Amino acid sequence: MGKRNRTALLPNNLPQLQNLIKRDPISYKRDFLQQYRHYESHSFPQQIISLLSENYQILHPNLRKTMVQTLVLLRNKDIIPSVTDKQLRELLYSYIVTDIKNQNAKHKNNKLNKTLQSFMYTILQGQQQQQQNNVKIGGGRINSEMSENSIAAKKSLDVCIELYRKGIWNDAKTTNVIAEACFHQVTKIRVTAIQFFLGSNQDQDDDSSEEEKQLPNVKKLQHINQINKTKKSRKRKLEKALVSIRKKELQKHKAENFNFSALHLLNDPQGFSEKLFSTLTNSQFNDRFEIKILSLNLISRIIGIHKLVLLNFYSYLQRYLQPHQRDVTLVLVILAQACHELVPPDVLEPVIRVVANNFVSDHCASEVMTAGLNAIREICTRQPLAMDATLLQDLTEYGKDKNKGVMMAARSLIGLFREINPELLKRKDRGKIASMNLKDFKPLQYGEVRAMERIEGIELLEEYKKQSSLGDDEHKDEWAEWEIASDDSSGEEGWIDVPSDDDQDIVVSDSSDEEIDKNNVDVNEKNVNEEKVSTLATTQLLTPADFAKLNELKLEHKTEQIVDGGKRKRSSTQQNEPSDIIDVNTITGPRKKAKQDYEERIESIKAGREGREKYGSSKGKKVEGASTTNKEKARNKAFMMVIHKKNVLHKKKMSLREKQV
C-alpha cells in the first residue's frame, strides 16, 4: 500500500523520482520518459509561434487557422504568455477582420455578430474595470501606459472601427461599444475612439468623378453664353462663377467625410457629453492639451447636432479665449459649433463679450480681429438673440477698416443681421430692402423656429417639367383639330362652311378707357403670377431623380444670378441654414499671401520653367541634327593642319609690343 502511494506521488516529486532512477533505472524508465515529454511540451507553443511568424504566407489557410486556435487555447489556459510579436498581432488582426467580413459577405450573420460584439465589449470593459480596481487599491493617478490587456483592448477597438467603416458592423451596438472606449483610462485607446467620431482618421477614397456629377452643366452654360452677346467680360464672369461654385460644392462634399451616422446612433447623447465633459475636469485624467482639444471638439459637435444644453461647457471655454492661446482658432470653431437656437442667450452673451474684448480691439493684430469677428458671426448665425444692439453697432464700425480681412468680416456681420434682425443695426447699415420690410418684420423669439412651407427651389423643377413636356405636346396639338374620316357616303353631302378671317367683327373704341383697364388687368396678372405658389409637390410624387435634377437646377440658377446680376442676389433657392461643421478657414478668413524671399522666388521661377523648354530662346543651344559652325570646326582641328595658315604665321612674327597691345 505504501509502494502504491509512493508511485502516485512520483509525477509531482521529482527529487524522489531521481533517487529511484539511480537505484533501479530500468524499472523507472517509463516515468522518466513521461517527465521528459512534459519538458518538451513547453517549447511546443514557441515552435508554433516561430512557424507562423516565418511561414504564415505559404501555410494552408486551414492549417494556419488551426495553429492560431491552438495558441488561443493555450493562452486561455495561461500556459503561454501574451503575444509580444507585433507582426503576429497584425496578422491576427487582419485575419479576424477578413474572416468576419467573409462570414457576412452573402448575408449578415446576426448571431455571430452579436456574440463577437459582446466579446469585444467584454474585453474593453474588463480591462477598464481592472484599471479602476488598481487605482482604488493603490490610489493616485491612473496609469495610462499600454499593458498586455491594454493591447488586447486596443486591437478589439480597432476591429470594431474597421468593421464599421466596411459597413459590416454599422449598427447602434457597435457605435455605443466604441463610445464606451472614449472613457477608457488608457490614453491611446481613448484618443482612437474620439478620432473615430471626429472622422479625422477616416479614409477618403471618394473619387473626384463622383464629386463632379453634381456640378453645373458646363456645356449648357457655355451654349447660353454663345447665344447671348459675345463679350470677354461676360465670358470671364461665367468662368469665375463656375470656379466659385465648384469650390463650394467640393467643400460641401469634404464636410460629409465626418461620421455623422455614428454620432446619430448614440443611445444617450446628453449623458455621453456630460460624462465626457466631466473627464476634462477630473484630476485623474491629466491629459495633454491636444487630447483636451479633441474631447472638446467631440463634445461641441454632439451638442450642435443633437441640440443639447450643457451650460458649464461655455464657461469652461472662456479660459482658452485668448489671442496668445495655442490653437485658438480651433477653440473658436469649437465654441461656434456648440451654439444653437436652444442655448439660453444669457449664457452666450458673456462669451461673445469676452471674444469681442480679447480679439476685436484696436491693439490686436488684423488676423486676430478677423478671427474674432468671424467667430461672433458664426455664433450669431446659430443664436441671434445672444447679440445686443450696443455691441453690434460697435463691431459694425470696422466695416471701413483698411485691412481687407477685417472689413469683410465686419460687413458679413452686417449682412447677417440685415436678414435676421435689422432693428439692431444702425439706420445707415440696414440697407434699402431691410428698411422697407422693417414694418412687417418680426424677429424670432427664444426657441421659435420658422417652419418651411415648401421645398426649396421647387418652382425651378416645375418650370423645367413644363418646358420638357412642351416637346411631347406639340405633336399632339398638331392633330387635335383634325377629324377622322367616316365610312358613310351620301349624295346629299353639302359644302362645309369654313370661317373666314374677313368675317370677324372689328370693334373700334373711341376712348382710351379700355387700354387703361387692360393695363390694370396685366398688372394684376403679374401680381398673381408672382404670388403663385408651386403645387408640384402636392400633385405629384417626387422621385430621387427629381431631387437630383432639383439640385442641378439650383446650381445653374446660382450661376445665372452671378453672371447676369454682377452682384450676388439672395433668393429663395439659397440655403440660409448654418452647417453643423465649421471649417477653420471660416474663422481665419482670407489671408494675404506673404512676400517671398530670394530663395523662394528662384524656386518658383525654376518650377515654372519645367516642361517649357521648347518655348525658350534657342540662343547658345545646339539644335538636334544640325552641324557645328566653322569656328567650332577650326577650334577642334589638329595644330599641324593649321600651322601654315596666315593667322598662325602672323602671330609668330608679332613683336612683344604688338602682343601686349
Side-chain angles (χ1 to χ4, degrees):
M1 191 71 180
K3 184 177 180 181
R4 186 176 301 174
N5 293 335
R6 185 180 61 183
T7 307
L9 294 174
L10 285 179
N12 297 326
N13 195 350
L14 295 180
Q16 185 180 3
L17 178 63
Q18 184 180 5
N19 188 20
L20 294 173
I21 291 173
K22 289 180 180 179
R23 293 180 181 180
D24 191 1
I26 299 174
S27 300
Y28 293 95
K29 181 179 179 181
R30 185 175 298 176
D31 296 331
F32 172 77
L33 294 176
Q34 181 182 2
Q35 294 295 330
Y36 183 72
R37 284 194 296 269
H38 288 169
Y39 169 76
E40 289 182 340
S41 65
H42 290 284
S43 62
F44 175 69
Q46 189 61 36
Q47 293 177 0
I48 297 178
I49 293 173
S50 60
L51 185 62
L52 284 172
S53 302
E54 297 173 359
N55 305 310
Y56 65 91
Q57 293 182 348
I58 61 176
L59 289 175
H60 193 272
N62 294 332
L63 177 60
R64 186 167 61 238
K65 180 180 178 181
T66 305
M67 295 173 71
V68 172
Q69 289 176 346
T70 304
L71 290 176
V72 172
L73 180 62
L74 293 174
R75 174 57 188 155
N76 292 335
K77 293 186 177 182
D78 204 13
I79 297 176
I80 59 174
S82 61
V83 180
T84 57
D85 190 356
K86 188 174 182 181
Q87 293 182 354
L88 183 57
R89 287 201 302 267
E90 293 296 330
L91 171 65
L92 295 174
Y93 166 74
S94 60
Y95 174 76
I96 291 171
V97 174
T98 306
D99 189 31
I100 297 174
K101 182 180 177 182
N102 294 333
Q103 292 293 332
N104 294 270
K106 296 182 180 179
H107 61 277
K108 284 197 173 184
N109 193 345
N110 294 324
K111 184 178 180 180
L112 176 65
N113 293 339
K114 289 181 179 180
T115 305
L116 294 176
Q117 286 172 357
S118 301
F119 177 72
M120 299 295 179
Y121 180 74
T122 304
I123 293 177
L124 286 171
Q125 196 70 13
Q127 201 276 334
Q128 189 171 359
Q129 290 291 339
Q130 184 180 359
Q131 287 276 356
Q132 292 177 356
N133 295 332
N134 294 335
V135 171
K136 290 179 181 179
I137 295 172
R141 184 176 175 272
I142 293 175
N143 186 13
S144 61
E145 295 181 358
M146 296 288 288
S147 60
E148 294 180 357
N149 295 330
S150 301
I151 294 173
K154 175 68 169 56
K155 285 299 177 183
S156 64
L157 179 63
D158 292 340
V159 169
C160 294
I161 293 174
E162 186 66 24
L163 292 173
Y164 181 90
R165 288 178 183 160
K166 291 181 179 296
I168 300 171
W169 284 4
N170 54 355
D171 53 352
K173 187 173 182 179
T174 306
T175 305
N176 289 278
V177 168
I178 300 173
E180 287 295 327
C182 295
F183 312 110
H184 207 279
Q185 284 81 7
V186 180
T187 305
K188 197 170 184 180
I189 297 176
R190 188 165 65 254
V191 170
T192 303
I194 293 174
Q195 286 180 345
F196 164 74
F197 287 105
L198 292 177
S200 58
N201 58 346
Q202 185 175 1
D203 298 333
Q204 299 178 0
D205 298 332
D206 299 332
D207 299 331
S208 59
S209 59
E210 295 180 0
E211 295 178 348
E212 294 180 358
K213 287 181 181 178
Q214 298 182 3
L215 295 178
N217 191 351
V218 181
K219 293 183 178 180
K220 184 177 180 180
L221 294 175
Q222 290 177 351
H223 179 64
I224 295 173
N225 190 30
Q226 291 177 358
I227 293 174
N228 297 332
K229 296 180 180 179
T230 56
K231 292 182 180 180
K232 291 183 179 180
S233 59
R234 186 178 181 85
K235 187 177 181 181
R236 285 195 297 268
K237 284 184 180 180
L238 175 64
E239 294 175 354
K240 191 181 293 184
L242 294 177
V243 170
S244 63
I245 290 178
R246 283 193 182 97
K247 288 182 179 179
K248 285 186 178 181
E249 291 302 313
L250 292 177
Q251 289 176 0
K252 289 181 182 178
H253 288 293
K254 288 180 182 178
E256 291 178 357
N257 289 328
F258 297 102
N259 268 327
F260 283 124
S261 58
L263 294 177
H264 285 292
L265 291 175
L266 292 174
N267 289 337
D268 186 11
Q270 181 72 36
F272 177 81
S273 58
E274 289 178 357
K275 188 176 179 181
L276 187 60
F277 180 67
S278 65
T279 59
L280 296 175
T281 58
N282 193 353
S283 59
Q284 292 180 348
F285 292 91
N286 191 11
D287 295 325
R288 301 192 308 271
F289 179 73
E290 296 87 350
I291 302 174
K292 288 184 178 180
I293 285 292
L294 287 175
S295 301
L296 291 172
N297 195 4
L298 178 58
I299 294 171
S300 67
R301 197 164 295 174
I302 295 174
I303 291 173
I305 291 175
H306 293 278
K307 303 293 186 295
L308 306 179
V309 178
L310 192 62
L311 302 181
N312 296 333
F313 181 75
Y314 306 97
S315 59
Y316 180 81
L317 287 176
Q318 290 186 18
R319 67 182 69 180
Y320 299 110
L321 295 177
Q322 298 292 338
H324 56 79
Q325 174 64 45
R326 179 183 173 187
D327 294 333
V328 67
T329 53
L330 187 55
V331 175
L332 293 173
V333 167
I334 292 170
L335 174 61
Q337 283 179 168
C339 298
H340 53 86
E341 63 272 9
L342 298 181
V343 180
D346 298 338
V347 179
L348 293 178
E349 281 182 5
V351 179
I352 293 179
R353 184 72 62 177
V354 169
V355 175
N357 294 335
N358 296 341
F359 289 85
V360 189
S361 57
D362 295 333
H363 66 272
C364 296
S366 58
E367 293 84 2
V368 176
M369 295 175 65
T370 303
L373 288 170
N374 288 329
I376 293 173
R377 185 199 66 222
E378 293 296 329
I379 295 172
C380 294
T381 303
R382 289 156 175 77
Q383 180 52 284
L385 300 177
M387 177 64 71
D388 58 341
T390 305
L391 179 59
L392 178 61
Q393 292 174 8
D394 292 339
L395 296 177
T396 53
E397 294 295 329
Y398 291 98
K400 298 180 181 179
D401 195 85
K402 295 181 180 179
N403 186 269
K404 186 177 180 181
V406 178
M407 178 193 66
M408 292 176 63
R411 290 187 178 181
S412 65
L413 188 63
I414 294 172
L416 172 66
F417 275 90
R418 282 180 179 178
E419 297 179 2
I420 59 178
N421 195 355
E423 294 178 350
L424 300 179
L425 293 170
K426 292 182 180 180
R427 183 174 296 178
K428 63 177 182 179
D429 296 330
R430 291 175 183 173
K432 183 178 179 182
I433 299 175
S435 300
M436 292 172 61
N437 299 330
L438 193 60
K439 295 181 180 179
D440 301 330
F441 180 78
K442 291 182 181 180
L444 292 175
Q445 300 300 321
Y446 174 68
E448 185 180 357
V449 179
R450 285 195 178 97
M452 295 294 294
E453 298 178 355
R454 58 189 179 85
I455 299 175
E456 196 171 6
I458 191 65
E459 64 277 358
L460 299 175
L461 182 62
E462 185 178 11
E463 184 180 356
Y464 169 77
K465 286 199 170 187
K466 287 181 180 179
Q467 292 179 357
S468 60
S469 62
L470 287 177
D472 299 335
D473 295 340
E474 284 179 357
H475 301 287
K476 296 180 181 179
D477 294 338
E478 292 177 357
W479 297 93
E481 297 182 358
W482 287 83
E483 296 181 358
I484 301 175
S486 61
D487 297 334
D488 299 335
S489 60
S490 60
E492 297 177 355
E493 187 175 5
W495 293 91
I496 299 174
D497 295 332
V498 179
S500 176
D501 295 338
D502 298 335
D503 296 334
Q504 294 179 358
D505 295 331
I506 300 174
V507 180
V508 180
S509 177
D510 295 333
S511 62
S512 60
D513 295 338
E514 294 182 357
E515 295 179 1
I516 297 173
D517 296 338
K518 194 173 184 179
N519 294 332
N520 293 333
V521 171
D522 294 339
V523 172
N524 293 332
E525 288 179 355
K526 289 181 180 179
N527 295 332
V528 170
N529 292 332
E530 290 178 357
E531 297 176 357
K532 186 178 179 181
V533 180
S534 175
T535 59
L536 181 63
T538 58
T539 57
Q540 295 183 11
L541 292 175
L542 298 180
T543 61
D546 292 334
F547 284 105
K549 190 64 181 178
L550 179 60
N551 294 331
E552 182 181 351
L553 293 172
K554 285 162 67 176
L555 290 175
E556 293 179 359
H557 182 68
K558 289 181 184 179
T559 308
E560 292 174 0
Q561 280 187 336
I562 297 173
V563 174
D564 297 335
K567 291 185 178 180
R568 189 172 302 175
K569 298 179 181 179
R570 188 171 294 275
S571 65
S572 61
T573 58
Q574 294 182 354
Q575 295 182 356
N576 299 326
E577 296 182 358
S579 175
D580 294 329
I581 301 300
I582 300 176
D583 191 9
V584 178
N585 296 327
T586 307
I587 301 296
T588 56
R591 292 185 178 182
K592 187 177 181 181
K593 189 177 180 181
K595 189 176 180 180
Q596 294 179 337
D597 55 3
Y598 178 76
E599 295 179 354
E600 292 178 350
R601 290 199 301 270
I602 294 299
E603 289 179 359
S604 62
I605 291 171
K606 290 181 179 179
R609 288 176 178 175
E610 293 180 357
R612 296 183 57 86
E613 289 81 6
K614 61 180 180 179
Y615 300 107
S617 176
S618 59
K619 186 177 181 180
K621 297 180 181 179
K622 183 179 179 181
V623 183
E624 296 182 0
S627 60
T628 57
T629 61
N630 293 332
K631 290 184 179 180
E632 293 177 350
K633 292 176 180 178
R635 193 182 298 118
N636 296 328
K637 281 184 178 181
F639 179 72
M640 297 303 296
M641 296 177 65
V642 297
I643 194 172
H644 301 292
K645 291 282 186 180
K646 292 183 179 181
N647 295 334
V648 178
L649 295 175
H650 178 67
K651 287 180 180 180
K652 287 183 179 180
K653 296 179 181 179
M654 289 174 63
S655 62
L656 181 61
R657 178 64 178 171
E658 291 177 348
K659 290 181 180 180
Q660 291 178 351
V661 173

